[in-house]
Amino acid sequence: MSITSIKQHNNVDELFDNIAPRYDFINGLMSLGMHQQWRSKLIKLLRPSRPKEVLDVAVGTAELACKIVRGIPSVRSLVGVDISTNMLKVGEKKVQANKLEDKITLLEADVNALPFLDNSFDAVTSAFGVRNFPTLPNALSEMYRVLRPGGCMVILELSQPKNKILRLGHKMFTHSLLPFLGKTFVHNKAAYQYLYQSIEAMPQYEQLTTLISQAGFTHVSYQPVTKGIVTLFIAQK
C-alpha cells in the first residue's frame, strides 16, 4: 500500500497536516466518545447494500475505512482518498496496525478530480469531510460519477441542531470550548475556529439533500443523530 502524492497546497490541506497526530484524540474528546457510535450508524445504513468495492472520500486517519472493512463482510477492497499527507500517514499506520493492508489503499487525491474511471465503486462514503470541500456541487458530481448504477452513497457530517435551545448551546460549545480544546491539546486554536466556521457555512438538512439530488442522486434522505449534532445523508445512483 502506498500514498500516491498529488499534493495540493491550500489552507485546509495545511490545517489538517498540522493537527494530524492529535486528530483522533481530540475527536474523541470533543464528541465525548460518540464519534465511534456515529460511524457505526453510517455502517448500519451501508451494510444492506452489500458493497464489494468502496471509496471513502476525505478518509483522514482511516478510522471509518477500517471500521467499514471490519464491519461489512461483503467489502473486498476500499480506497480512501484525502488531500492531507500527514493524515494519510497516520491512516497508513492504523491500517497496518489492523492488518488490513490487503484490503485498504490510501491515495492522496482531490475530490474535485477523482483519479478513477466512471462507475468504479459500489459505494461512496465520507465522514466529517464534506464541509471541507470548497466546491461542494462539483465534489458531489465526482462522487456520483465514480459510483456504479444502483450504488449507495452515505455521508456523515457535523450539523446544527434544529431546536433553537439546542442550537444555542451547540453554538456556545463550538465557539468557546472547541478553540480552547484546540489550543490546549493540539496547540492549534485556529484549526478549531475553522471547525465551527465550517459547520456554520455547511448547507444543512434539506439544503444539502437538494445539492445531492442536483448532482444526479436519487432516493435522497437524511437522518439527524444525537439531536442533530451530526446528520447522516444517504442516496443512490
Side-chain angles (χ1 to χ4, degrees):
M1 178 181 59
S2 63
I3 298 175
T4 299
S5 179
I6 55 170
K7 186 75 174 176
Q8 296 208 346
H9 298 285
N10 57 55
N11 291 335
V12 174
D13 181 3
E14 294 174 2
L15 182 152
F16 283 101
D17 273 347
N18 290 334
I19 66 174
R22 302 284 282 173
Y23 182 78
D24 287 336
F25 170 76
I26 198 70
N27 269 2
L29 186 63
M30 73 181 191
S31 70
L32 302 178
M34 290 187 291
H35 65 117
Q36 296 293 4
Q37 297 177 32
W38 298 335
R39 289 186 178 91
S40 294
K41 289 181 181 295
L42 183 156
I43 290 169
K44 186 176 180 180
L45 284 178
L46 183 61
R47 189 180 292 118
S49 66
R50 297 182 179 179
K52 295 180 177 65
E53 286 83 33
V54 179
L55 173 66
D56 188 35
V57 179
V59 67
T61 64
E63 189 70 26
L64 177 63
C66 292
K67 205 171 181 69
I68 287 173
V69 170
R70 290 196 307 262
I72 304 180
S74 62
V75 174
R76 296 175 183 170
S77 65
L78 182 148
V79 179
V81 299
D82 206 291
I83 60 170
S84 168
T85 303
N86 288 349
M87 295 284 274
L88 290 170
K89 287 179 179 178
V90 175
E92 279 201 327
K93 293 179 181 178
K94 188 176 297 180
V95 170
Q96 291 165 3
N98 284 275
K99 298 181 179 180
L100 295 174
E101 300 99 318
D102 60 329
K103 288 192 174 183
I104 298 177
T105 301
L106 304 183
L107 305 175
E108 190 169 332
D110 181 2
V111 67
N112 291 297
L114 291 170
F116 310 110
L117 297 175
D118 296 355
N119 309 318
S120 293
F121 299 95
D122 300 313
V124 178
T125 61
S126 185
F128 311 120
V130 170
R131 70 182 185 281
N132 301 312
F133 300 160
T135 53
L136 183 52
N138 187 70
L140 291 170
S141 294
E142 276 290 275
M143 293 163 77
Y144 178 86
R145 178 183 67 79
V146 301
L147 187 63
R148 291 178 180 135
C152 179
M153 179 181 73
V154 188
I155 292 170
L156 172 64
E157 190 51 87
L158 297 168
S159 54
Q160 300 179 56
K162 288 187 174 183
N163 180 281
K164 292 182 179 179
I165 296 176
L166 290 176
R167 180 176 289 194
L168 179 60
H170 180 264
K171 187 173 184 178
M172 292 173 63
F173 174 79
T174 56
H175 282 238
S176 301
L177 187 56
L178 282 186
F180 170 76
L181 292 175
K183 181 179 179 180
T184 303
F185 292 101
V186 297
H187 309 295
N188 193 326
K189 182 179 179 180
Y192 289 88
Q193 288 177 324
Y194 164 79
L195 176 59
Y196 75 73
Q197 291 167 353
S198 67
I199 297 172
E200 292 181 350
M202 175 76 186
Q204 300 288 313
Y205 304 111
E206 290 83 2
Q207 292 176 318
L208 183 53
T209 58
T210 296
L211 289 176
I212 293 171
S213 296
Q214 290 173 347
F217 290 95
T218 62
H219 301 93
V220 185
S221 62
Y222 68 86
Q223 298 181 15
V225 180
T226 316
K227 305 297 184 181
I229 293 175
V230 298
T231 302
L232 282 159
F233 297 84
I234 186 167
Q236 290 182 333
K237 180 175 180 177

